[in-house]
Amino acid sequence: MNNLAHLAIIMDGNGRWAKLQGKPRTHGHQQGINALRNITIWCAKEHIAYLTLYAFSTENWSRPKTEVEFLMRMLKKYLVQERPTYLEHKIRFKAIGNLKKFSPTLQKTILNLEQETATHTALTQVLALNYGGRDEIARACGRILERGLKGDLQELIGAHLDTAGLPDVDLLVRTGGEMRLSNFLLWQSSYAELFFSPVLWPDFTPEHLAQIIASFNQRQRKFGKV
Ligand code: FPP
C-alpha cells in the first residue's frame, strides 16, 4: 500500500458504546484498548509505515476528574501491558503531544518504550497524548523564535513539530459518527483524505478499516492541482 504511508485515526465513541451496554464510560475506554491493539497489529501486517492515533487531547483534561484519572491510570497500564505487542510485532512506539504535563513516572515509561522500540521497522505507531494541533504548532513556533531561526517558515515549522520526520497524513479516519477534526494533526492533514465511520471505536475492526482503505485507493488525490 505505497500510496498510504501515514494513516491517522480519531478513536471516538467509547463512551457511547459503554452507555449502550449500560456500563460506565470507563468500560468503553477499556474495550477501546482491544480495538487499538487489533488495528495496530493489522496495520503492521499490511505494511503501513505510520499509524497515528488520538488517545488524549489537550481538551480532554476538562472531562470529569474521575474519568481523567482513569485515563491516566489506563495509559500507564497500557504502556506496560502492551509492551510484548510492540516487541513481538516489531512495532516502533512514538508519542506526540505536550508530555510535560504528565507525571515524571509516566513520562519515563513513555520514554522507555520509545527507546526500547526505536529500531523496530514494521510500523511506527504514534500515540497522540495531551495533544492538540494548535498547541503543537504554537510550541513549534515558540522553539523557532527562542532559537532565533531564519529561513523558509513552512519548512521550519514542519521541522519543529512533534511529527518532524514523519510524512504528511494521507488518510484520516474518525470513528463514532461525528464529522470534525477536533484539533488533530491540523498541519499534517492539509491534503489528507477524510473518512468518517459511524462505527463506535470499540466495535471498529480491521475489516472496517480495510473497506475504508479500499475506497481511499479509489480516490484521486490532486494536492491542489487539476
Ligand atoms: C473518545 O471516546 C476516546 C477517548 C477520548 C480516549 C481514547 C482512548 C482509547 C481508545 C483507549 C486507548 C487509550 C490509551 C490511553 C492508550 P469518547 O469518550 O469521546 O466517546 P463518546 O464520544 O462516545 O463520549
Side-chain angles (χ1 to χ4, degrees), residues 16-103:
R16 277 166 286 159
W17 184 90
K19 200 171 170 203
L20 286 171
Q21 318 273 320
K23 300 261 172 65
R25 293 176 53 80
T26 48
H27 180 66
H29 296 316
Q30 262 160 348
Q31 287 301 312
I33 297 267
N34 296 330
L36 171 58
R37 185 190 313 108
N38 291 338
I39 293 291
T40 300
I41 293 172
W42 186 82
C43 287
K45 289 189 175 150
E46 290 294 312
H47 306 293
I48 291 168
Y50 297 93
L51 168 67
T52 303
L53 302 134
Y54 210 0
F56 194 85
S57 80
T58 46
E59 287 72 35
N60 285 154
W61 297 102
S62 49
R63 291 187 172 209
K65 192 166 170 259
T66 47
E67 185 170 337
V68 171
E69 283 170 358
F70 179 88
L71 284 168
M72 287 303 119
R73 276 200 308 278
M74 200 179 81
L75 172 59
K76 205 164 169 189
K77 200 169 139 203
Y78 169 87
L79 295 168
V80 175
Q81 182 187 293
E82 296 301 322
R83 186 174 158 267
T85 306
Y86 292 94
L87 302 185
E88 185 189 340
H89 297 276
K90 294 276 173 285
I91 295 166
R92 176 161 79 112
F93 168 76
K94 179 180 165 60
I96 58 168
N98 189 350
L99 305 179
K100 289 194 187 123
K101 203 162 170 193
F102 295 122
S103 73

Side-chain angles (χ1 to χ4, degrees), residues 91-197:
I91 295 166
R92 176 161 79 112
F93 168 76
K94 179 180 165 60
I96 58 168
N98 189 350
L99 305 179
K100 289 194 187 123
K101 203 162 170 193
F102 295 122
S103 73
T105 40
L106 186 49
Q107 289 185 48
K108 187 89 179 65
T109 313
I110 291 169
L111 192 69
N112 283 348
L113 191 59
E114 282 184 336
Q115 286 173 345
E116 194 177 7
T117 62
T119 58
H120 289 181
T121 50
L123 162 82
T124 298
Q125 185 218 50
V126 184
L127 272 195
L129 302 167
N130 188 27
Y131 177 88
R134 287 184 175 182
D135 177 67
E136 182 194 30
I137 295 167
R139 284 186 290 105
C141 293
R143 287 195 284 267
I144 294 164
L145 288 173
E146 220 173 75
R147 294 170 196 170
L149 300 174
K150 299 266 180 308
D152 182 294
L153 251 189
Q154 289 202 23
E155 267 179 35
L156 278 171
I157 292 171
H160 287 81
L161 292 172
D162 300 342
T163 54
L166 269 59
D168 278 350
V169 174
D170 297 301
L171 168 60
L172 191 150
V173 175
R174 181 179 187 133
T175 66
E178 307 282 353
M179 294 191 202
R180 54 177 172 260
L181 295 179
S182 299
N183 205 9
F184 191 43
L185 299 174
L186 298 180
W187 182 278
Q188 300 85 341
S189 297
S190 298
Y191 282 100
E193 295 292 324
L194 309 180
F195 279 79
F196 299 95
S197 166

